[in-house]
């Protein structure tokens, strides 16, 4: 929820920090999928194309499809 709060406000670096924290500290939680989606969107918003593409690959490997908008 905190990462989403930052994302909506355009604080993409803060979003990346919070979403990464979810992946590292709570790898088996239901919050992982939304955190990965926020990472993809934040990287794209910051024009970090390679990081966004890498996260899309990881997302697809884990969930079998790209995230829905």
């Amino acid at each position: 929820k905190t990462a989403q709060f930052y994302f909506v406000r355009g604080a993409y670096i803060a979003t990346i920090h919070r979403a990464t924290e979810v992946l590292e500290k709570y790898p088996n939680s239901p919050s992982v999928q939304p955190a990965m989606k926020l990472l993809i969107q934040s990287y794209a918003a910051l024009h970090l194309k390679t990081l966004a593409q890498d996260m899309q690959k990881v997302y697809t490997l884990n969930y079998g499809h790209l995230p829905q908008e």
Side-chain angles (χ1 to χ4, degrees):
K1 299 278 182 191
T2 304
Q4 181 67 35
F5 171 86
Y6 288 129
F7 184 80
V8 169
R9 283 153 184 78
Y12 303 119
I13 293 174
T15 302
I16 291 167
H17 285 277
R18 290 295 183 162
T20 300
E21 187 175 358
V22 168
L23 298 181
E24 291 173 350
K25 292 186 177 181
Y26 310 102
N28 298 317
S29 79
S31 298
V32 169
Q33 188 173 6
M36 291 176 76
K37 181 178 177 181
L38 286 171
L39 283 170
I40 294 165
Q41 294 171 326
S42 295
Y43 289 142
L46 293 171
H47 305 288
L48 299 171
K49 185 178 178 180
T50 302
L51 290 172
Q53 289 173 338
D54 288 348
M55 186 54 63
Q56 285 177 338
K57 289 176 188 174
V58 172
Y59 188 101
T60 302
L61 286 171
N62 282 283
Y63 301 106
H65 57 83
L66 289 174
Q68 304 298 315
E69 291 297 318

